[in-house]
Structures are given as C-alpha cells and as structure tokens.
Amino acid sequence: MDPAPPSRRSWAEPFKIKVVEPVRLVSPELRLTAIREAGYNTFLLRSQDVYIDLLTDSGTSAMSDRQWAGMMLGDEAYAGSRNFYHLEETVRSVYGYQHLIPTHQGRGAEHIISRVLIKPGNIIPGNMYFTTTRLHQELAGGSFIDVIIPEAHDPASEHPFKGNVDLGKLEAVIGEYGASRIPYVSIAATVNMAGGQPISLENLRAVRELTRGHGIRVILDATRVAENAYFIQQREPGQQGRTIAEIVRETCSLTDGCTMSAKKDALVNIGGFLAVNDWDIFEEARNIVVIYEGLHTYGGMAGRDMEAVAIGLEESVDDEHIRARVGQVLYLGEKLRAWGIPIVLPIGGHGIFLDAKAFLPHLDQSVYPAQALAAAIYLDSGVRTMERGIVSAGRDKDTGLEYRPKLELVRVTIPRRVYTQAHMDVVAESILAVYQERSNVRGLRMVYEPRYLRFFQARFEPLG
Ligand code: F0G
C-alpha cells in the first residue's frame, strides 16, 4: 500500500554544503567543570566546550561561496578601497541611504550617531531598548524611553507586530519633553529584546507622520531588517505580493538613516556601518569615525570584509534565503510549542525565546531564573544559549537599582545557514529534558558584576 500523502509538501534549504567544520559532543563531567569555571555565564564558556552554539546569531553565520570569493578581491588600500565603493553602491541600492560610514560592527555605528545627534539631557524614545544602543545613548548624555506597545512585554500575546510603537505613548513623550529635546526616535526592526518581533509598515508610516510634524528624525536599527520584512510579507495585509527587497527598501525610506550590525542579516562574521541621507550628519559622522574606528573609507573593516558585507547584503534580501532562515527558527519553535514548553509568541525571526518565569515558576527574578536556565541547558547537552532578562537589563543609571524587566527570557539563537534540522531536533530534546526536570533547577547569586553591559562578564554561583 502506498503511504498516505503528506498534508503539505516539505521545503528545504536553498543551498548545499561545501565546507564542514566538526563539532563534538562534550561529556557531562566536562560540562560541569566548564560551567563552574565560567561562573554559570554562558558568555564565559570556551567555544571548544560547546556542542551546538546558539549563543547568538551575531557574526556566527556561514558565508556563501560568492562571499568567500569576494574575500579574495579585497583591496587593502588604506584609503579609497574599491570594496568601500562597492559597499556604498550596495547600501544605496538595497537600503536606499545616500551616505555610508563603515564601522567595525554595529555598536561602532551606535557610538557615532549618538555622539553626533545626542546632547546632554536629550530623550530618545524607542521600541524597546537594546543593550549597546541604550548604553551609547546614555554615554552621550541622553535617556532612553521605551514606547513599544504593551503587548511586547507579554510573552503570551500573539500580536503579529509586537515591535510596533505605541503612538499614544510616543505622542505623550513628545508632549512632555518637547520636540527640541528629542534628537530622534530609535526604531529597531526586528526587536531583539522582545523576542525578534517585527514592526509593521503601517506602524512605521504612522511614526514617520507623527515625527515629521515635529521635525524629529527616525533612526533605524537595520540589523535584522530583512527578517522584519519577511514577517511583513507574511502577516501584513496587502504585502503578500511584494518581494523582501521591496519591503526592505520601503522600510528604510521611512527613516532618516540606520545603524547596522552586518554580523546578522548581512551574513558576515564582522562588520557594520552607519548610513544617513542628511549631508550635515554625514559630515560630522565622517569626522568622528576617524577618531574611533578608522578612516571614513574603511571604518575598522578590511577591504575583504567590506566586500563580503556588500555581497551578503544582496543575499540577505533574497526571498528564498529569508524563508529558509526564518523557517528553521519556526521549525524549532513549533516543536517546543507542541510540547507545551513556554516560549515567546509569535515565534520571532532570529531565535526562540524561552519564558523563564513560566518555565521556572519556583524562582524569583532576583535569583536570575533565565541565567540559571541557560546554565541548566548547557549542563544537559552542551547546547549554549543566553540570558535575556534581569542580568541583561542591568541597572538604572540614575538610581543604581536593578531594572526588573517583565521579560525574563533565554534566547536560543539560530545562526544563519550553519546548523541542520537534526541539530534543531537535538536542541529541542535537550530543552524538553530540562523542562521535565525543571523543579531541580536552582537559582543563582551574582558574585561578580562588571560596570557596563554586565551580562557579558558577570559571574554567578548556585544557591543552596
Ligand atoms: N542592534 C541590535 C538589534 C543587535 O542585536 C546588536 C547586537 C547590535 C545592535 C550591536 O551590534 O554586536 O555588531 O556591535 N546583537 C548581538 C546579539 C550582540 O547577540 O544579539 P554589534
């Protein structure tokens, strides 16, 4: 008898594998030693002690054969490298911004735009903070105010665009502080800290309208703008017939410039840039970049890196690529969801976010449940994930008190084009194993706290 036909046809990655890098299982004894030595912080593990590395999608993607070929075309001139001009041309055609300032990675661009636009006492509203973005705003003398819709702070809300700005809140912030104290609105697409959640075109158009009326700029964090475009294409009424490239172009056209960590969407291991339309901002940024990053035609990147970014940017807006990329994240998320494991919904673009408060209801936020859960997953299987909760949120710069974010999450982040479906199965089964033994997971005590971005280097010990 013929087997029953599947209810829907499978899809597969739009690539085949040309080079492989071995990964190895890590023994339980070694995992215990390694996590103790790492102070229960997955950022402090050595990568050789990791089996499947889902710490981040940043700089961890696999480059294509075209990108590797491009690396050989690196023009390593100090000034005016041909790869810079190729990148500039590509940013103009893919994103539409006129002026490009390369930087070593995203935070380099954040530093520069913050220095150029923010004056002490300024207010920067945005759709949820990102760690480095907010810190650079604060170091420039500004204060960040979260104006994301409330649904974004609720892991169970299935709002299709949890990255949207609450327009009423934004208007109230403008009313309270006055437009002259607001240099720009900071818009992320997608919103990393909310779980890789998108902002809709409709909402961004409304933000543009509102800010235009007050003469306030909009600066986009374009780090995952192609993934954002995929969700717009899938979910936003009237957008189904459009390509990812068209949606990305329109998204950028609704803003005045962007900061970019090319280590995500753009499929490279290092690189970033600032891109703006306004000549005056460009001029000032070009002045500052030479102090902190490098000459304005390389900004901390080698010629070969700029070439890889240029090619990667084009690949990032390919419809087949982005469908497979987000599709792999959905595959893992659907599996966990079917087993009743609490995750942030809807499933986001770059990873699965475990809801540590619901996963470990016996742990108060003060004992760092998400940090403890990330360590427990590593102990189970050698799979590395990371905390996105109270440790990442840090402290209020004025009161010194710990923020207590509503979202206490573990991010299971998927690098692009790196792991297979079988790896996703192994990851899902490890998370399930920890879920079944969740009552045994103990809280943590922080024993070392760095001054800035503490989640990277903080150390912990288990309680009890
Ligand atoms: N903006 C967003 C939304 C990011 O996710 C990141 C980095 C940056 C800016 C900063 O870029 O790392 O190139 O300096 N996110 C990484 C992560 C670190 O793991 O999510 P960068």
Side-chain angles (χ1 to χ4, degrees):
M1 204 175 76
D2 285 340
S7 57
R8 66 180 175 88
R9 299 291 290 266
S10 296
W11 58 270
E13 290 78 2
F15 56 79
K16 55 185 178 174
I17 295 165
K18 183 153 21 195
V19 178
V20 296
E21 175 186 341
V23 292
R24 62 176 191 125
L25 283 163
V26 186
S27 72
E29 299 74 35
L30 202 152
R31 296 197 297 260
L32 184 59
T33 312
I35 198 75
R36 279 184 181 152
E37 281 177 4
Y40 289 77
N41 184 347
T42 52
F43 274 104
L44 300 178
L45 288 167
R46 291 171 188 238
S47 105
Q48 65 173 22
D49 297 333
V50 172
Y51 173 37
I52 298 172
D53 202 346
L54 307 183
L55 182 74
T56 176
D57 64 328
S58 182
T60 53
S61 297
M63 292 208 295
S64 67
D65 51 359
R66 286 181 65 239
Q67 285 176 294
W68 280 108
M71 296 284 278
M72 289 305 292
L73 302 177
D75 169 6
E76 307 306 343
Y78 186 85
S81 157
R82 98 168 74 84
N83 312 113
F84 167 78
Y85 294 104
H86 183 202
L87 179 56
E88 184 184 56
E89 225 172 82
T90 310
V91 168
R92 283 182 182 149
S93 72
V94 176
Y95 289 177
Y97 301 116
Q98 282 313 298
H99 309 300
L100 170 73
I101 292 121
T103 57
H104 75 285
Q105 59 184 76
R107 68 198 72 180
E110 292 168 352
H111 176 208
I112 291 169
I113 197 71
S114 299
R115 277 190 175 250
V116 172
L117 293 180
I118 299 172
K119 308 268 170 298
N122 279 179
I123 301 293
I124 304 92
N127 57 345
M128 201 176 272
Y129 83 103
F130 183 71
T131 53
T132 57
T133 321
R134 181 177 68 190
L135 182 56
H136 279 299
Q137 292 163 354
E138 290 175 352
L139 291 171
S143 297
F144 174 82
I145 294 188
D146 188 9
V147 293
I148 204 165
I149 56 170
E151 287 87 343
H153 294 281
D154 173 8
S157 160
E158 297 209 42
H159 191 294
F161 290 102
K162 285 166 93 172
N164 280 357
V165 168
D166 182 330
L167 296 159
K169 225 187 263 176
L170 176 58
E171 211 165 357
V173 170
I174 298 171
E176 183 177 347
Y177 296 96
S180 62
R181 279 181 70 186
I182 303 177
Y184 61 92
V185 177
S186 184
I187 295 293
T190 58
V191 181
N192 190 351
M193 302 302 282
Q197 303 295 329
I199 176 170
S200 71
L201 274 179
E202 186 195 20
N203 185 257
L204 188 55
R205 285 192 200 110
V207 170
R208 168 93 286 184
E209 270 315 295
L210 176 61
T211 50
R212 198 201 314 268
H214 294 277
I216 299 172
R217 293 186 188 84
V218 177
I219 300 292
L220 178 70
D221 182 338
T223 296
R224 298 183 183 85
V225 70
E227 290 168 11
N228 196 83
Y230 179 73
F231 289 120
I232 289 173
Q233 187 192 56
Q234 297 301 306
R235 296 178 188 165
E236 188 160 348
Q239 298 297 323
Q240 282 65 44
R242 301 180 75 196
T243 64
I244 295 299
E246 287 165 348
I247 298 170
V248 164
R249 260 309 275 258
E250 186 179 349
T251 305
C252 296
S253 77
L254 295 166
T255 69
D256 298 289
C258 80
T259 55
M260 177 70 183
S261 170
K263 302 169 71 172
K264 284 80 161 175
D265 260 6
L267 297 156
V268 293
N269 304 118
I270 193 72
F273 54 82
L274 170 66
V276 293
N277 288 325
D278 187 316
W279 176 265
D280 294 337
I281 297 175
F282 170 61
E283 233 196 335
E284 183 60 12
R286 202 169 51 165
N287 262 308
I288 292 179
V289 75
V290 299
I291 312 171
Y292 296 103
E293 301 280 319
L295 193 73
H296 60 284
T297 54
Y298 76 86
M301 278 190 282
R304 55 180 172 270
D305 294 327
M306 291 190 281
E307 191 61 27
V309 175
I311 298 168
L313 271 183
E314 275 172 15
E315 292 181 359
S316 78
V317 294
D318 177 271
D319 282 65
E320 289 301 305
H321 157 69
I322 203 77
R323 185 168 79 112
R325 187 287 182 275
V326 180
Q328 187 176 43
V329 178
L330 294 177
Y331 173 83
L332 174 61
E334 293 298 351
K335 245 186 142 133
L336 297 175
R337 195 180 180 183
W339 291 335
I341 294 171
I343 60 174
V344 172
L345 295 173
I347 295 163
H350 64 304
I352 302 304
F353 290 68
L354 305 173
D355 179 357
K357 280 186 186 168
F359 201 115
L360 303 174
H362 58 290
L363 297 186
D364 184 76
Q365 198 169 19
S366 60
V367 298
Y368 310 115
Q371 190 77 32
L373 180 53
I377 293 167
Y378 174 76
L379 278 169
D380 177 75
S381 59
V383 169
R384 170 153 70 170
T385 60
M386 70 174 276
E387 195 261 10
R388 286 275 90 144
I390 185 167
V391 182
S392 293
R395 292 178 183 276
D396 185 300
K397 74 177 168 63
D398 299 320
T399 65
L401 294 174
E402 279 188 320
Y403 288 113
R404 288 180 73 102
K406 289 211 181 92
L407 297 177
E408 178 71 23
L409 309 175
V410 170
R411 189 179 71 173
V412 185
T413 341
I414 314 300
R416 296 163 188 77
R417 310 192 291 207
V418 171
Y419 291 112
T420 65
Q421 187 164 324
H423 289 113
M424 295 302 110
D425 293 339
V426 167
V427 170
E429 288 165 24
S430 173
I431 294 169
L432 178 62
V434 176
Y435 190 60
Q436 285 164 341
E437 300 287 324
R438 59 192 177 278
S439 59
N440 296 335
V441 177
R442 285 180 289 161
L444 299 171
R445 176 160 51 98
M446 197 184 295
V447 293
Y448 167 66
E449 178 174 0
R451 188 142 67 103
Y452 296 118
L453 302 175
R454 64 183 190 171
F455 56 96
F456 283 131
Q457 290 152 349
R459 301 184 68 85
F460 302 83
E461 276 170 11
L463 288 167

